[in-house]
Short mmCIF file of all heavy atoms in Angstrom, two decimals:
data_model
loop_
_atom_site.label_atom_id
_atom_site.label_comp_id
_atom_site.label_asym_id
_atom_site.label_seq_id
_atom_site.Cartn_x
_atom_site.Cartn_y
_atom_site.Cartn_z
N ARG A 307 -3.22 -9.02 -46.73
CA ARG A 307 -3.14 -10.00 -47.84
C ARG A 307 -1.70 -10.59 -47.95
O ARG A 307 -1.51 -11.73 -48.08
CB ARG A 307 -3.47 -9.15 -49.10
CG ARG A 307 -3.71 -9.93 -50.34
CD ARG A 307 -5.12 -10.56 -50.29
NE ARG A 307 -5.01 -11.86 -50.87
CZ ARG A 307 -5.99 -12.43 -51.47
NH1 ARG A 307 -7.16 -11.80 -51.56
NH2 ARG A 307 -5.87 -13.64 -52.07
N GLU A 308 -0.72 -9.68 -47.73
CA GLU A 308 0.65 -10.08 -47.88
C GLU A 308 0.98 -11.08 -46.72
O GLU A 308 1.64 -12.09 -46.89
CB GLU A 308 1.53 -8.84 -47.76
CG GLU A 308 2.93 -9.03 -48.20
CD GLU A 308 3.79 -7.70 -48.23
OE1 GLU A 308 3.16 -6.62 -48.01
OE2 GLU A 308 4.96 -7.84 -48.46
N LEU A 309 0.41 -10.76 -45.56
CA LEU A 309 0.65 -11.64 -44.35
C LEU A 309 0.05 -13.04 -44.70
O LEU A 309 0.70 -14.02 -44.41
CB LEU A 309 -0.16 -11.01 -43.28
CG LEU A 309 0.24 -11.04 -41.84
CD1 LEU A 309 1.59 -10.40 -41.62
CD2 LEU A 309 -0.78 -10.33 -40.95
N SER A 310 -1.09 -13.05 -45.26
CA SER A 310 -1.72 -14.33 -45.46
C SER A 310 -0.94 -15.23 -46.57
O SER A 310 -0.87 -16.37 -46.45
CB SER A 310 -3.17 -14.19 -45.84
OG SER A 310 -3.49 -14.64 -47.12
N GLU A 311 -0.39 -14.53 -47.54
CA GLU A 311 0.35 -15.21 -48.57
C GLU A 311 1.73 -15.74 -48.00
O GLU A 311 2.12 -16.86 -48.22
CB GLU A 311 0.55 -14.38 -49.74
CG GLU A 311 -0.61 -14.35 -50.72
CD GLU A 311 -0.72 -13.22 -51.59
OE1 GLU A 311 0.35 -12.56 -51.84
OE2 GLU A 311 -1.85 -12.88 -52.06
N TYR A 312 2.37 -14.84 -47.26
CA TYR A 312 3.72 -15.19 -46.80
C TYR A 312 3.69 -16.29 -45.69
O TYR A 312 4.43 -17.17 -45.67
CB TYR A 312 4.45 -13.97 -46.28
CG TYR A 312 5.87 -14.27 -45.88
CD1 TYR A 312 6.97 -14.29 -46.80
CD2 TYR A 312 6.18 -14.57 -44.52
CE1 TYR A 312 8.22 -14.56 -46.38
CE2 TYR A 312 7.50 -14.84 -44.12
CZ TYR A 312 8.54 -14.78 -45.08
OH TYR A 312 9.83 -15.12 -44.70
N TYR A 313 2.76 -16.13 -44.76
CA TYR A 313 2.69 -16.99 -43.64
C TYR A 313 1.77 -18.16 -43.85
O TYR A 313 1.44 -18.96 -42.95
CB TYR A 313 2.34 -16.25 -42.36
CG TYR A 313 3.44 -15.41 -41.86
CD1 TYR A 313 3.41 -13.97 -42.06
CD2 TYR A 313 4.64 -15.91 -41.38
CE1 TYR A 313 4.50 -13.22 -41.55
CE2 TYR A 313 5.76 -15.20 -40.91
CZ TYR A 313 5.59 -13.85 -41.07
OH TYR A 313 6.71 -13.05 -40.66
N LEU A 314 1.17 -18.30 -45.05
CA LEU A 314 0.27 -19.35 -45.37
C LEU A 314 -0.84 -19.38 -44.26
O LEU A 314 -1.18 -20.52 -43.79
CB LEU A 314 0.91 -20.71 -45.40
CG LEU A 314 1.96 -20.81 -46.57
CD1 LEU A 314 2.70 -22.20 -46.47
CD2 LEU A 314 1.27 -20.73 -47.92
N ALA A 315 -1.28 -18.27 -43.88
CA ALA A 315 -2.29 -18.12 -42.85
C ALA A 315 -3.69 -17.74 -43.52
O ALA A 315 -3.72 -17.10 -44.45
CB ALA A 315 -1.92 -17.12 -41.84
N PRO A 316 -4.77 -18.20 -42.86
CA PRO A 316 -6.12 -17.82 -43.43
C PRO A 316 -6.28 -16.30 -43.52
O PRO A 316 -5.82 -15.62 -42.58
CB PRO A 316 -7.10 -18.36 -42.37
CG PRO A 316 -6.30 -19.43 -41.65
CD PRO A 316 -4.83 -19.02 -41.62
N TRP A 317 -6.84 -15.88 -44.68
CA TRP A 317 -7.00 -14.40 -44.84
C TRP A 317 -7.81 -13.79 -43.67
O TRP A 317 -7.43 -12.69 -43.17
CB TRP A 317 -7.71 -14.22 -46.16
CG TRP A 317 -7.68 -12.83 -46.69
CD1 TRP A 317 -6.94 -11.76 -46.18
CD2 TRP A 317 -8.40 -12.34 -47.83
NE1 TRP A 317 -7.17 -10.65 -47.03
CE2 TRP A 317 -8.10 -10.98 -47.96
CE3 TRP A 317 -9.37 -12.90 -48.71
CZ2 TRP A 317 -8.65 -10.17 -49.00
CZ3 TRP A 317 -9.91 -12.14 -49.77
CH2 TRP A 317 -9.50 -10.78 -49.93
N GLY A 318 -8.81 -14.47 -43.20
CA GLY A 318 -9.64 -13.96 -42.18
C GLY A 318 -8.84 -13.70 -40.87
O GLY A 318 -9.03 -12.68 -40.28
N ALA A 319 -7.91 -14.63 -40.56
CA ALA A 319 -7.11 -14.40 -39.38
C ALA A 319 -6.23 -13.23 -39.55
O ALA A 319 -5.91 -12.48 -38.61
CB ALA A 319 -6.31 -15.65 -39.10
N CYS A 320 -5.70 -13.05 -40.71
CA CYS A 320 -4.80 -11.89 -40.96
C CYS A 320 -5.58 -10.56 -40.96
O CYS A 320 -5.02 -9.61 -40.41
CB CYS A 320 -4.08 -12.02 -42.32
SG CYS A 320 -3.14 -13.59 -42.41
N LEU A 321 -6.80 -10.57 -41.49
CA LEU A 321 -7.56 -9.34 -41.38
C LEU A 321 -7.86 -8.98 -39.93
O LEU A 321 -7.87 -7.84 -39.50
CB LEU A 321 -8.89 -9.49 -42.16
CG LEU A 321 -8.75 -9.35 -43.72
CD1 LEU A 321 -9.97 -9.84 -44.45
CD2 LEU A 321 -8.40 -7.89 -44.14
N ARG A 322 -8.13 -10.02 -39.17
CA ARG A 322 -8.41 -9.81 -37.74
C ARG A 322 -7.24 -9.03 -37.10
O ARG A 322 -7.50 -8.15 -36.17
CB ARG A 322 -8.57 -11.14 -37.06
CG ARG A 322 -8.76 -11.10 -35.58
CD ARG A 322 -8.91 -12.49 -34.99
NE ARG A 322 -10.29 -12.92 -35.10
CZ ARG A 322 -11.25 -12.65 -34.17
NH1 ARG A 322 -10.91 -12.01 -33.11
NH2 ARG A 322 -12.45 -13.06 -34.32
N ALA A 323 -6.05 -9.29 -37.57
CA ALA A 323 -4.86 -8.65 -36.90
C ALA A 323 -4.86 -7.11 -37.22
O ALA A 323 -4.34 -6.31 -36.49
CB ALA A 323 -3.53 -9.25 -37.46
N VAL A 324 -5.50 -6.73 -38.34
CA VAL A 324 -5.40 -5.30 -38.73
C VAL A 324 -6.74 -4.47 -38.40
O VAL A 324 -6.76 -3.27 -38.56
CB VAL A 324 -5.07 -5.07 -40.23
CG1 VAL A 324 -3.70 -5.68 -40.58
CG2 VAL A 324 -6.13 -5.63 -41.12
N VAL A 325 -7.78 -5.21 -37.97
CA VAL A 325 -9.03 -4.58 -37.60
C VAL A 325 -8.84 -3.88 -36.28
O VAL A 325 -8.19 -4.46 -35.40
CB VAL A 325 -10.15 -5.57 -37.54
CG1 VAL A 325 -11.31 -5.06 -36.81
CG2 VAL A 325 -10.56 -6.01 -38.96
N PRO A 326 -9.28 -2.64 -36.22
CA PRO A 326 -9.20 -1.91 -34.90
C PRO A 326 -9.78 -2.86 -33.79
O PRO A 326 -10.95 -3.23 -33.92
CB PRO A 326 -10.04 -0.71 -35.02
CG PRO A 326 -10.15 -0.40 -36.52
CD PRO A 326 -9.94 -1.75 -37.16
N ALA A 327 -9.02 -3.11 -32.73
CA ALA A 327 -9.32 -4.18 -31.79
C ALA A 327 -10.63 -3.83 -31.11
O ALA A 327 -11.37 -4.82 -30.78
CB ALA A 327 -8.26 -4.40 -30.81
N HIS A 328 -11.02 -2.63 -30.95
CA HIS A 328 -12.28 -2.33 -30.23
C HIS A 328 -13.52 -2.69 -31.06
O HIS A 328 -14.61 -2.67 -30.50
CB HIS A 328 -12.30 -0.82 -29.79
CG HIS A 328 -12.34 0.12 -30.91
ND1 HIS A 328 -11.23 0.44 -31.63
CD2 HIS A 328 -13.32 0.81 -31.46
CE1 HIS A 328 -11.49 1.35 -32.49
NE2 HIS A 328 -12.84 1.53 -32.49
N LEU A 329 -13.31 -2.93 -32.29
CA LEU A 329 -14.51 -3.29 -33.11
C LEU A 329 -14.69 -4.83 -33.12
O LEU A 329 -15.74 -5.30 -33.54
CB LEU A 329 -14.29 -2.81 -34.60
CG LEU A 329 -14.22 -1.38 -34.80
CD1 LEU A 329 -14.18 -1.05 -36.28
CD2 LEU A 329 -15.44 -0.64 -34.19
N LEU A 330 -13.78 -5.57 -32.52
CA LEU A 330 -13.97 -6.96 -32.43
C LEU A 330 -14.73 -7.26 -31.18
O LEU A 330 -14.65 -6.59 -30.18
CB LEU A 330 -12.60 -7.66 -32.36
CG LEU A 330 -11.71 -7.51 -33.58
CD1 LEU A 330 -10.28 -8.04 -33.20
CD2 LEU A 330 -12.25 -8.30 -34.71
N PRO A 331 -15.58 -8.27 -31.27
CA PRO A 331 -16.30 -8.65 -30.03
C PRO A 331 -15.31 -9.10 -28.94
O PRO A 331 -14.31 -9.68 -29.30
CB PRO A 331 -17.27 -9.75 -30.46
CG PRO A 331 -16.78 -10.24 -31.85
CD PRO A 331 -15.84 -9.17 -32.38
N ALA A 332 -15.62 -8.68 -27.75
CA ALA A 332 -14.71 -9.08 -26.58
C ALA A 332 -14.48 -10.57 -26.62
O ALA A 332 -15.44 -11.36 -26.72
CB ALA A 332 -15.28 -8.63 -25.27
N ALA A 333 -13.25 -10.94 -26.59
CA ALA A 333 -12.90 -12.37 -26.56
C ALA A 333 -13.45 -12.99 -25.20
O ALA A 333 -13.37 -12.31 -24.24
CB ALA A 333 -11.44 -12.56 -26.62
N SER A 334 -14.03 -14.08 -25.34
CA SER A 334 -14.40 -14.77 -24.06
C SER A 334 -13.11 -15.28 -23.49
O SER A 334 -12.12 -15.44 -24.22
CB SER A 334 -15.36 -15.91 -24.34
OG SER A 334 -14.81 -16.74 -25.28
N GLY A 335 -13.14 -15.59 -22.26
CA GLY A 335 -11.93 -16.12 -21.60
C GLY A 335 -11.31 -15.03 -20.77
O GLY A 335 -11.99 -14.25 -20.13
N SER A 336 -9.96 -15.00 -20.85
CA SER A 336 -9.25 -14.29 -19.81
C SER A 336 -9.64 -12.81 -19.77
O SER A 336 -9.78 -12.24 -18.72
CB SER A 336 -7.76 -14.43 -19.98
OG SER A 336 -7.46 -13.97 -21.30
N SER A 337 -9.78 -12.16 -20.90
CA SER A 337 -9.91 -10.68 -20.83
C SER A 337 -11.23 -10.26 -20.21
O SER A 337 -11.25 -9.21 -19.57
CB SER A 337 -9.82 -10.05 -22.20
OG SER A 337 -10.80 -10.54 -23.08
N GLY A 338 -12.25 -10.93 -20.35
CA GLY A 338 -13.52 -10.53 -19.77
C GLY A 338 -13.93 -11.25 -18.49
O GLY A 338 -15.02 -11.18 -18.09
N ARG A 339 -12.91 -11.97 -17.96
CA ARG A 339 -13.20 -12.72 -16.72
C ARG A 339 -13.79 -11.90 -15.61
O ARG A 339 -13.41 -10.76 -15.35
CB ARG A 339 -11.92 -13.32 -16.28
CG ARG A 339 -11.93 -14.73 -15.72
CD ARG A 339 -10.58 -15.31 -15.85
NE ARG A 339 -9.56 -14.27 -15.84
CZ ARG A 339 -8.57 -14.21 -14.88
NH1 ARG A 339 -8.59 -15.09 -13.90
NH2 ARG A 339 -7.68 -13.28 -14.95
N ARG A 340 -14.69 -12.51 -14.85
CA ARG A 340 -15.25 -11.76 -13.67
C ARG A 340 -14.51 -12.33 -12.47
O ARG A 340 -14.53 -13.54 -12.21
CB ARG A 340 -16.71 -11.89 -13.61
CG ARG A 340 -17.42 -11.43 -14.82
CD ARG A 340 -18.91 -11.40 -14.72
NE ARG A 340 -19.31 -10.32 -13.85
CZ ARG A 340 -19.45 -9.05 -14.25
NH1 ARG A 340 -19.08 -8.72 -15.44
NH2 ARG A 340 -19.84 -8.13 -13.46
N VAL A 341 -13.96 -11.41 -11.68
CA VAL A 341 -13.25 -11.90 -10.51
C VAL A 341 -13.58 -10.97 -9.35
O VAL A 341 -14.04 -9.87 -9.53
CB VAL A 341 -11.70 -11.86 -10.75
CG1 VAL A 341 -11.30 -12.85 -11.82
CG2 VAL A 341 -11.25 -10.39 -11.06
N THR A 342 -13.28 -11.51 -8.13
CA THR A 342 -13.48 -10.68 -6.98
C THR A 342 -12.34 -9.76 -6.72
O THR A 342 -11.17 -10.20 -6.68
CB THR A 342 -13.71 -11.61 -5.72
OG1 THR A 342 -14.68 -12.51 -6.11
CG2 THR A 342 -14.04 -10.87 -4.48
N TRP A 343 -12.61 -8.49 -6.48
CA TRP A 343 -11.61 -7.52 -6.12
C TRP A 343 -11.73 -7.05 -4.75
O TRP A 343 -12.82 -7.06 -4.12
CB TRP A 343 -11.75 -6.28 -7.05
CG TRP A 343 -11.12 -6.42 -8.39
CD1 TRP A 343 -11.38 -7.42 -9.27
CD2 TRP A 343 -10.08 -5.66 -8.95
NE1 TRP A 343 -10.54 -7.25 -10.41
CE2 TRP A 343 -9.77 -6.14 -10.17
CE3 TRP A 343 -9.40 -4.43 -8.47
CZ2 TRP A 343 -8.87 -5.54 -11.09
CZ3 TRP A 343 -8.51 -3.89 -9.35
CH2 TRP A 343 -8.15 -4.39 -10.57
N VAL A 344 -10.58 -6.88 -4.08
CA VAL A 344 -10.56 -6.30 -2.78
C VAL A 344 -9.89 -4.95 -2.82
O VAL A 344 -8.90 -4.79 -3.59
CB VAL A 344 -9.97 -7.24 -1.77
CG1 VAL A 344 -10.74 -8.41 -1.52
CG2 VAL A 344 -8.51 -7.60 -2.16
N ARG A 345 -10.35 -4.05 -1.97
CA ARG A 345 -9.63 -2.71 -1.87
C ARG A 345 -9.63 -2.27 -0.39
O ARG A 345 -10.53 -2.63 0.37
CB ARG A 345 -10.20 -1.66 -2.82
CG ARG A 345 -11.56 -1.35 -2.48
CD ARG A 345 -12.07 -0.18 -3.37
NE ARG A 345 -12.34 -0.58 -4.73
CZ ARG A 345 -12.16 0.20 -5.79
NH1 ARG A 345 -11.77 1.41 -5.60
NH2 ARG A 345 -12.48 -0.22 -6.94
N PRO A 346 -8.66 -1.46 -0.08
CA PRO A 346 -8.58 -1.03 1.36
C PRO A 346 -9.71 -0.17 1.73
O PRO A 346 -10.19 0.59 0.87
CB PRO A 346 -7.19 -0.27 1.42
CG PRO A 346 -6.52 -0.48 0.14
CD PRO A 346 -7.48 -0.94 -0.89
N ILE A 347 -10.13 -0.19 2.98
CA ILE A 347 -11.18 0.71 3.39
C ILE A 347 -10.47 1.93 3.90
O ILE A 347 -9.63 1.87 4.88
CB ILE A 347 -12.04 0.13 4.51
CG1 ILE A 347 -12.90 -1.05 3.83
CG2 ILE A 347 -13.01 1.16 5.13
CD1 ILE A 347 -13.74 -1.70 4.85
N GLU A 348 -10.80 3.11 3.36
CA GLU A 348 -10.19 4.33 3.83
C GLU A 348 -10.38 4.64 5.28
O GLU A 348 -11.57 4.43 5.72
CB GLU A 348 -10.68 5.48 2.93
CG GLU A 348 -9.63 6.42 2.42
CD GLU A 348 -10.29 7.44 1.51
OE1 GLU A 348 -10.76 7.07 0.47
OE2 GLU A 348 -10.30 8.57 1.90
N GLY A 349 -9.40 5.02 5.95
CA GLY A 349 -9.56 5.28 7.38
C GLY A 349 -9.83 4.17 8.33
O GLY A 349 -10.32 4.38 9.43
N ALA A 350 -9.71 2.99 7.86
CA ALA A 350 -9.92 1.85 8.79
C ALA A 350 -9.00 1.89 9.96
O ALA A 350 -7.78 2.25 9.77
CB ALA A 350 -9.75 0.51 7.97
N ASP A 351 -9.47 1.63 11.11
CA ASP A 351 -8.63 1.68 12.31
C ASP A 351 -7.92 0.31 12.42
O ASP A 351 -8.45 -0.64 12.97
CB ASP A 351 -9.40 1.91 13.56
CG ASP A 351 -8.58 2.01 14.80
OD1 ASP A 351 -7.32 1.78 14.66
OD2 ASP A 351 -9.16 2.32 15.89
N LEU A 352 -6.72 0.29 11.89
CA LEU A 352 -6.06 -1.08 11.74
C LEU A 352 -5.59 -1.60 13.13
O LEU A 352 -5.56 -2.80 13.33
CB LEU A 352 -4.81 -0.97 10.83
CG LEU A 352 -5.15 -0.60 9.39
CD1 LEU A 352 -3.95 -0.65 8.49
CD2 LEU A 352 -6.19 -1.67 8.84
#
Side-chain angles (χ1 to χ4, degrees):
R307 192 75 216 212
E308 197 173 353
L309 214 57
S310 121
E311 279 160 19
Y312 183 85
Y313 288 107
L314 296 174
W317 193 9
C320 298
L321 282 169
R322 175 180 276 273
V324 300
V325 163
H328 64 280
L329 297 184
L330 296 170
S334 55
S336 58
S337 63
R339 219 158 24 119
R340 303 189 72 81
V341 294
T342 306
W343 276 56
V344 291
R345 63 173 76 208
I347 292 180
E348 225 175 295
D351 182 357
L352 295 183

